[in-house]
Amino acid sequence: MATSKSSTTTSAKKARPAGIPTVEDVQEAFVKPLKGMAERLQSLPLAGSIVESGRKDLQALVQANEKSYQGLQAVVQRQTEMLKSSIEEWQGTVKGMAGTDPRENLAKLDAMGKAAFKQALDDIRELSEMAAKSQSEAFDVVRRRIQDNVDEVSKLLKQRK
């Protein structure tokens, strides 16, 4: 079966008018120079360094994104905990107010409102510190990789002198 297929391909090439290239001819014309270029690049010692550096850059970006994502998850989780706690506190206060003196209830609500406002400010501060820490850790990963790149280039430049 393979022989008939190759004979069909051969006959198709023969039946083609002169000057019109086949798909195989076009592929060979484009792929052959690229293969040669790839082989020449691989033989250069610098090419391996460039590929390795690119791999390290990508790895650092992935690590930075992971840190950023983990920080975001921690902020959302803590925010959810804060919200649940606040709701439970309000529910407890409201349940304790049933059947008591209205003036006393207003005083409780006023005190609770002031405490809730202070707590909200503390929570915002805590969440912003968590987010800043997370972003700082992610930036440190990228900063270290940039410093490594600068060190690698400096080392290469010193070798050339």
Side-chain angles (χ1 to χ4, degrees), residues 9-101:
T9 307
T10 307
S11 65
K13 283 185 181 179
K14 290 178 184 175
R16 198 173 288 277
I20 298 179
T22 63
V23 172
E24 292 83 13
D25 293 336
V26 173
Q27 286 176 341
E28 187 176 327
F30 282 104
V31 172
K32 191 174 182 180
L34 292 177
K35 282 184 181 178
M37 187 186 314
E39 290 168 3
R40 286 188 299 265
L41 282 175
Q42 287 176 350
S43 67
L44 294 174
L46 185 59
S49 298
I50 292 171
V51 170
E52 180 63 20
S53 180
R55 185 190 65 75
K56 287 179 181 178
D57 291 347
L58 186 58
Q59 186 179 23
L61 286 174
V62 168
Q63 187 179 5
N65 281 335
E66 285 175 357
K67 288 196 176 288
S68 184
Y69 180 71
Q70 289 168 354
L72 179 62
Q73 282 182 317
V75 167
V76 169
Q77 181 180 358
R78 182 64 183 123
Q79 195 173 27
T80 302
E81 291 169 2
M82 291 172 176
L83 183 60
K84 284 180 182 178
S85 174
S86 179
I87 289 171
E88 288 171 0
E89 188 178 324
W90 277 92
Q91 285 175 339
T93 300
V94 170
K95 285 180 182 176
M97 290 170 43
T100 59
D101 181 32

Side-chain angles (χ1 to χ4, degrees), residues 2 6 12-13 39 55 60 75-76 90 122 136 142 144 156 159:
S6 78
K13 283 185 181 179
E39 290 168 3
R55 185 190 65 75
V75 167
V76 169
W90 277 92
D122 292 342
S136 175
V142 174
R144 282 192 306 270
L156 286 173
Q159 289 175 354

